[in-house]
Amino acid sequence: MSVRSRKLIGTLVLLVFLAVYALVVASIGAGRITTAPPLTQLAFFFVAGLAWVVPAGLLIRWMQRP
C-alpha cells in the first residue's frame, strides 16, 4: 500500500474516530459524571481529554510508515 493511500485511509479513520470519541465523552460528561464528586469529575475530564492521543499517535505513525 502506498503512503498516499495510507494517509487517505488514516485521515478518514481518524476523523470518524475523533467524532465518535467526542460524542461518547460528551454524553458521559453531560450525563452520569455530573452527579460525581468534583475530584472524580476532574479525573474523568483529564483522562478523557488525553485518552484520544494514544490511538491517534499510533494511527499517524502507521500513516507515515514507508
Side-chain angles (χ1 to χ4, degrees):
M1 183 179 293
S2 69
V3 174
R4 187 174 179 158
S5 60
R6 268 200 308 266
K7 285 185 179 184
L8 175 64
I9 293 168
T11 301
L12 295 175
V13 169
L14 187 60
L15 288 174
V16 171
F17 167 72
L18 287 178
V20 171
Y21 182 80
L23 288 173
V24 169
V25 169
S27 67
I28 293 170
R32 296 182 181 189
I33 202 72
T34 58
T35 59
L39 286 177
T40 305
Q41 291 179 12
L42 177 68
F44 169 76
F45 287 113
F46 181 76
V47 170
L50 294 175
W52 65 273
V53 174
V54 173
L58 292 173
L59 185 60
I60 290 170
R61 184 179 296 166
W62 174 79
M63 287 165 51
Q64 294 182 351
R65 196 175 47 160

